[in-house]
Amino acid sequence: MSKLFSFSGSDNFFPGGSIYPNPKESSLFFSLGHHVDVYFPHHKRSRFSPPIVFSRERVEKKNPSIEILPDECLFEIFRRLPGGQERSSCACVSKRWLTLLSNIHRDEINDNNKGGVVSKVEDQDVEGDGYLSRVLEGKKATNVRLAAIAVGTASRGGLGKLSIRGSNSTCGVTNVGLRAISRGCPSLRVLSLWDSSSVGDQGLCEIADGCHQLEKLDLCHCPAITDKSLLAVAKGCPNLKDLTIEGCANIGNEGLQALARCCPNLKAISIKDCPLIRDQGIVSMLSSASFTLTKIKLQALNITDVSLAVIGHYGKAVTDLSLISLPNVSEKGFWVMGNGHGLQKLKSFAVTSCRGVTDLGLEAVGKGCPNLKQLCLHKCAFLSDKGLVSFAKTASSLESLQLEECHRITQFGFFVSLLNCGAKLKAFSLVNCYGIKDLNLGLPSVLPCKSLRSLSIRNCPGFGDASLAALGKLCPQLEHVELSGLHGISDAGFLPLLETREADLVKVNLSGCVNLSDKAVCIMADLHGWTLEMLNLEGCKISDASLVAIAKNCQLLSDLDVSKCAITDSGIAALARSNQIKLQILSMSGCSKVSDKSMPSLLKLGQTLLGLNLQQCKAISSSAVDLLVEQLWRCDILF
């Protein structure tokens, strides 16, 4: 070797000139920088020779590294690994290895362990084939995480549900990430993409090509996805059962038509704010899935009466229907839908902000849907008492009726509909209906509505004592009563409701009834305390006397709200002295007269408490709150 390079033991190994006198041998060297050269000696049989590095200080022979192997070689190595656990471990080495592993199709894996014994670690990790669930939100939604999920879940039965919500602003989810999922997770059944602007048709086409078991697809605000994606899904995912599309401006009729042709098991669709979807798409969907489609939700679409007519005729299997903000649908559409006689199985119907809901349209729906059990009407400006009463007379199966912001409904319509709803009505809700006026109607002697169990009247300023007293006679079997934000109600109207009960109250919400006093609460505790489980008295005109009555009579009470009431430490002490009451939720927000003196009582009550609200209790010090937090470690405390 010394002869080759012409140096003796006393000479410098590399004085600074060229280390090879023959320029033709320069091809045997590779420069690594200043004063460093690498020499590759000739070998005839060796396929790989480790380089020899020369420098002024030392001669070093580097060990060969697997990193110099091309991707093709690593790919062959990875796909021959004996199990998923080994592939997961290799994915942790580098991003390059992770990327390679995530691009291996499941059917490309050469499983040498078939028929053998699965490792104990893998066997313990299996949670059920196709039911593993992963959620990526915000900054965590990246291609690298998707690749890791694709590799890591392969040994645990396969990924069944994936939700991507939002995206990392710098390195968010793109088509590359979905490609990794499509190759590593063929068992994927549920995919949700929310606010994924970087995901386009290519990514969803990859999913359709690799995840043939997909049953539920949720696309929300994905502007780069078009009909091309839905065409691929229709072709590759025939088992699709549930489809949700919201705010996708480039999806139109063609995509829905393809799904209607190729997905015979489709059971639920929800479409919102897609300007390109019109009657043609909805008609194709309904006519093709007439005997399978059970749930339909259409919101903020440019559809017309034609779509409603098709729903009324072809919706033979529909049980749940929701129509929201459809400005181009008129009274005619609802009338034709009701008279189509196709909605025989409809059980739940919700309408919001649709001008077509008139007296005539609602009456037709009542006649055409004999099995309707739940009706929710919100912001129906053209619906009056006449239509509500006509509907009540025909809807013999109705169990729940909700009216919200229907300002043409008056006290007359409310009571007459109660009398005509039939023997199955269990719940009635009236919210923000400003047409209600507290009049003494002098209702005739009729049979009471004994089926009604739950009554909710919220923020109806005209509802007062006269209406409440009439309700007491009309609905003697009430168990759940919510009278929220009704300033017109006082003890004079509430006491008749209590005294005419044939059934005992279980849940009572009187929040915002500022004219109810201790008298009403004490009588309620005395008459119904042994069944009362939830009581909300927020903002009522009560004092410690009410808490004393509650502590004495309400043995089953678990949820109590006395926020913004004039209670003091004495009232809290009365609750604590009771050996019968076992509160789990106690809210005293805004009770300015409760101080640190209540700490022993709260500590005793805390033995059963799971939630305690002390917000805006200004007389309670921070040190007292710290003590509660320390002692009541099982309780969620707001302060």
Side-chain angles (χ1 to χ4, degrees), residues 439-458:
L439 303 175
N440 192 352
L441 295 178
L443 294 174
S445 298
V446 292
L447 292 176
C449 182
K450 291 191 175 183
S451 62
L452 196 68
R453 296 290 183 270
S454 176
L455 176 66
S456 176
I457 301 175
R458 292 180 289 158

Side-chain angles (χ1 to χ4, degrees), residues 164-401:
I164 302 173
R165 302 174 181 179
S167 185
N168 191 303
S169 58
T170 56
C171 52
V173 172
T174 64
N175 297 326
V176 175
L178 291 189
R179 180 186 180 191
I181 293 296
S182 70
R183 298 200 169 196
C185 308
S187 60
L188 188 69
R189 299 183 181 183
V190 179
L191 175 62
S192 296
L193 296 175
W194 294 3
D195 300 312
S196 301
S197 57
S198 299
V199 174
D201 290 332
Q202 182 182 351
L204 203 55
C205 288
E206 291 277 1
I207 292 292
D209 186 54
C211 305
H212 301 300
Q213 298 182 35
L214 193 68
E215 296 179 355
K216 183 176 180 179
L217 179 61
D218 185 355
L219 304 175
C220 179
H221 297 290
C222 299
I225 291 179
T226 69
D227 285 331
K228 181 181 178 181
S229 295
L230 293 191
L231 290 172
V233 170
K235 182 179 179 181
C237 308
N239 295 323
L240 192 68
K241 297 178 180 179
D242 194 318
L243 175 67
T244 299
I245 307 174
E246 178 178 342
C248 296
N250 292 310
I251 291 180
N253 297 322
E254 186 179 358
L256 292 186
Q257 291 169 343
L259 291 172
R261 290 192 303 269
C262 303
C263 300
N265 299 318
L266 198 61
K267 294 183 178 180
I269 60 169
S270 176
I271 306 174
K272 175 182 177 181
D273 193 21
C274 297
L276 296 183
I277 293 180
R278 299 180 180 273
D279 290 327
Q280 296 92 326
I282 303 300
V283 168
S284 298
M285 187 72 70
L286 266 295
S287 58
S288 299
S290 178
F291 294 98
T292 59
L293 200 58
T294 60
K295 295 183 180 181
I296 302 175
K297 181 179 180 180
L298 305 177
Q299 181 174 357
L301 300 178
N302 294 322
I303 60 175
T304 67
D305 296 336
V306 174
S307 293
L308 265 65
V310 172
I311 292 174
H313 183 74
Y314 288 101
K316 301 183 184 301
V318 175
T319 59
D320 297 83
L321 177 61
S322 180
L323 305 175
I324 305 172
S325 300
L326 303 178
N328 298 325
V329 174
S330 67
E331 177 185 70
K332 180 180 179 181
F334 283 92
W335 186 87
V336 174
M337 181 178 70
N339 285 283
H341 303 295
L343 296 174
Q344 299 294 309
K345 294 184 179 181
L346 186 66
K347 295 181 180 180
S348 177
F349 185 35
V351 185
T352 300
S353 300
C354 291
R355 297 183 303 169
V357 179
T358 62
D359 296 341
L360 183 63
L362 186 61
E363 182 181 1
V365 170
K367 292 179 180 178
C369 307
N371 294 304
L372 188 64
K373 294 184 177 181
Q374 181 177 353
L375 175 66
C376 179
L377 302 176
H378 184 200
K379 293 184 178 180
C380 297
F382 297 100
L383 178 66
S384 69
D385 292 341
K386 180 181 178 181
L388 183 61
V389 173
S390 298
F391 171 82
K393 290 179 179 180
T394 56
S396 57
S397 299
L398 195 66
E399 296 180 359
S400 175
L401 178 59

